[in-house]
Amino acid sequence: MKQAREQWTSKIGFILAAAGSAVGLGAVWRLPYVAGTNGGGAFFLIFLLFTLLLGTSLLLAEFIIGRKTQKDPISAFKELAPNSSWYLIGVLGVISCCLILSFYSVVGGWIVTYLLRSIFGGLTGRSSEEYSELFASIISNPWEVGAAHLVFIIITILVVQNGIQKGIERASTIMMPLLFIIFLLLVVRAVTLDGAMEGISFFLLPDFSQVTGETILFALGQAFFSLSLGVSIMITYSSYLSKQDSLIHSAGSVVGLGILISFLAGLAIFPGVFAFGLQPDEGPSLIFTVLPAVFSEIAFGGLFLSLFLMLLLFATLTSAFSLLEIVVTTAAKNNKQLRKKTAWIAGLAVFLLGIPSNLSFGLLADWDVFGDIFFNQIDFLVSNVLLPLGALLISIFVPLKMKKAELKNELLSGSSLHSRYFSTWYFLLKYVTPIAIAAAMLNVLGVL
Ligand code: PHE
């Protein structure tokens, strides 16, 4: 029997779930440390520009494909371009999502462990060097991070198996507003620290003397990563959207929320780093080693640290839901029983796939995979190759394979906006986006 396809119960439910996918480790963990090593304010400004121009136009392109076809990504490309190989963009998306989730859930596990330690004591009252040692000892302990990694995956499976309305939408509508409130609390605490001004100006005053070709590339990658673009996730989420909803308004809200959280993340982190004389270019460990040290120095630091970790766990989980959802939708289509089974099988398979990433900081630390540890190589492959490749292919596919009138209709349906918006979007997608991505990718590969 054919079962009816689910839809989001409300437009706000969709926006919060899509924003939940977008806002995750990218905004809270990656942006502060990449900005910290790439000149602060100037990086943030370029990231904003890429997000607004290229990110938004790609997001709309994915929304159009999803809402128009109301299908999982592989079937969507098959419907739009029958008897061709374009459906491989969907296949690429599913593979990329499994790979992202495999290392994303490892970092999710670190957050679970940190959160438990912060609640049960033992995470406060140390110096920043002691926190670095603690972090290194935690992530190299296979049993602790292994168990935490499994817990993180199981939470993800439990939510995704319940489907769109009862699972992802319900969880996101609770978690996202809570995340926002906790973040506001943290920002108020951070910007009122003595000496916070130096951190605020590092983050907000651009110093263009620090900008190199690499800064621009990282900013482009960051813009796509933090909007979950190029891996067909936004195609999947918008396929559950009704025809009455305005895509432009939804995209505006998702991008706006993404930027807001990135902005709040910087404001929550940099004032503390500078106020306590720490270094902003600490690297990926920034939030795990510097923040506990910062929190130890302030009143109620233990409480604030637990709140922060909870927030980070929520943000990471809502992104993980989207990564698993795309695999489950593709395999189970609209079949509810099959959905449960696939969620468990796919989730546990991704857990196994993540084990080498998990052990990269301990048992497998000496395993050299083309010059780096496994975790970093998977991250590199996904962020610098697969994700921009998917984005590039989508920006070529849409203007090439879909009729202009059809696109205009889908983009403007449900909204009262002028068709001028369509022309601007079309120009950005057809010309600016593919050229910018191709230039960035060739540069990463050392060709340009
Ligand atoms: N957008 C997520 C984040 O910023 C990461 C992500 C990338 C999720 C690609 C899904 C797909 O953390």
Side-chain angles (χ1 to χ4, degrees):
M1 195 185 74
K2 194 169 172 2
Q3 290 171 352
R5 192 172 163 82
E6 270 194 280
Q7 285 195 338
W8 303 104
T9 52
S10 63
K11 187 172 139 187
I12 186 76
F14 164 69
I15 291 173
L16 289 176
S21 166
V23 175
L25 293 174
V28 186
W29 161 74
R30 197 168 184 270
L31 178 78
Y33 92 75
V34 181
T37 41
N38 284 279
F43 178 90
F44 190 64
L45 202 68
I46 302 168
F47 158 78
L48 275 186
L49 199 75
F50 283 147
T51 302
L52 288 172
L53 292 180
L54 311 186
T56 312
S57 58
L58 258 167
L59 183 62
L60 281 168
E62 292 204 19
F63 277 0
I64 288 179
I65 299 175
R67 216 255 305 257
K68 177 150 185 45
T69 57
Q70 310 262 307
K71 293 208 161 91
D72 67 88
I74 296 180
S75 313
F77 284 105
K78 280 191 173 156
E79 176 180 311
L80 295 170
N83 305 320
S84 69
S85 306
W86 286 102
Y87 75 93
L88 291 175
I89 302 181
V91 176
L92 180 73
V94 175
I95 296 173
S96 307
C97 284
C98 290
L99 290 175
I100 298 176
L101 188 56
S102 78
F103 73 87
Y104 209 81
S105 52
V106 170
V107 184
W110 297 348
I111 301 168
V112 169
T113 299
Y114 257 62
L115 178 61
L116 292 175
R117 282 178 178 251
S118 82
I119 293 171
F120 295 110
L123 251 198
T124 39
R126 298 167 193 242
S127 68
S128 52
E129 294 90 63
E130 284 170 335
Y131 279 114
S132 299
E133 282 163 23
L134 180 71
F135 180 66
S137 81
I138 290 177
I139 64 173
S140 61
N141 176 344
W143 297 113
E144 179 166 350
V145 281
H149 180 191
L150 189 62
V151 167
F152 183 87
I153 280 281
I154 289 179
I155 301 176
T156 308
I157 297 173
L158 288 174
V159 171
V160 172
Q161 69 165 1
N162 286 329
I164 291 297
Q165 293 179 2
K166 292 214 191 75
I168 297 175
E169 180 171 345
R170 189 181 285 170
S172 307
T173 14
I174 301 169
M175 288 180 180
M176 290 302 288
L178 216 54
L179 181 152
F180 187 71
I181 294 168
I182 301 176
F183 238 135
L184 277 182
L185 261 169
L186 276 180
V187 169
V188 170
R189 178 62 273 206
V191 299
T192 49
L193 286 170
D194 270 346
M197 213 40 223
E198 204 187 332
I200 298 175
S201 38
F202 172 80
F203 180 50
L204 294 182
L205 292 182
D207 169 9
F208 286 101
S209 67
Q210 300 280 334
V211 174
T212 61
E214 206 162 60
T215 316
I216 294 176
L217 272 181
F218 283 173
L220 184 76
Q222 177 65 28
F224 291 152
F225 188 87
S226 66
L227 283 177
S228 308
L229 293 172
V231 289
S232 299
I233 280 187
M234 293 304 181
I235 297 182
T236 309
Y237 270 25
S238 56
S239 73
Y240 297 112
L241 197 58
S242 101
K243 293 279 179 198
Q244 282 88 46
D245 291 325
S246 156
L247 294 185
I248 298 181
H249 285 148
S250 304
S253 312
V254 172
V255 173
L257 280 172
I259 291 177
L260 187 66
I261 297 283
S262 301
F263 180 71
L264 291 180
L267 279 186
I269 289 165
F270 290 117
V273 172
F274 281 85
F276 297 111
L278 299 161
Q279 291 307 315
D281 55 358
E282 179 87 6
S285 60
L286 188 69
I287 60 166
F288 289 103
T289 60
V290 171
L291 278 180
V294 170
F295 284 118
S296 303
E297 302 276 335
I298 60 182
F300 304 109
L303 181 67
F304 279 111
L305 179 60
S306 300
L307 282 175
F308 178 81
L309 290 165
M310 197 140 61
L311 165 167
L312 191 60
L313 183 62
F314 285 175
T316 311
L317 276 171
T318 48
S319 303
F321 300 157
S322 69
L323 289 161
L324 187 59
E325 169 61 24
I326 176 173
V327 186
V328 172
T329 313
T330 307
K333 303 281 186 295
N334 305 326
N335 185 323
K336 290 215 177 75
Q337 284 77 36
L338 204 55
R339 164 175 280 274
K340 278 206 171 32
K341 216 157 106 192
T342 337
W344 281 96
I345 295 173
L348 293 177
V350 166
F351 168 73
L352 295 179
L353 189 68
I355 288 179
S357 296
N358 196 335
L359 297 180
S360 288
F361 303 90
L363 291 178
L364 296 181
D366 296 329
W367 183 29
D368 183 294
V369 185
F370 303 112
D372 207 341
I373 54 170
F374 188 85
F375 181 101
N376 290 351
Q377 293 297 26
I378 290 278
D379 183 7
F380 180 89
L381 174 72
V382 169
S383 317
N384 297 328
V385 183
L386 300 182
L387 199 138
L389 181 67
L392 177 68
L393 291 173
I394 291 172
S395 71
I396 296 172
F397 174 85
V398 171
L400 192 70
K401 287 285 161 186
M402 295 177 77
K403 293 200 187 64
K404 226 170 159 175
E406 192 176 62
L407 291 172
K408 187 166 178 175
N409 204 352
E410 196 64 48
L411 186 76
L412 299 178
S413 102
S415 87
S416 53
L417 289 169
H418 198 270
S419 56
R420 206 179 48 232
Y421 282 91
F422 173 75
S423 321
T424 315
W425 167 75
Y426 193 76
F427 176 79
L428 282 171
L429 186 75
K430 185 166 180 183
Y431 300 105
V432 183
T433 311
I435 293 172
I437 302 173
M441 283 181 75
L442 291 176
N443 197 329
V444 168
L445 299 174
V447 181
L448 214 74

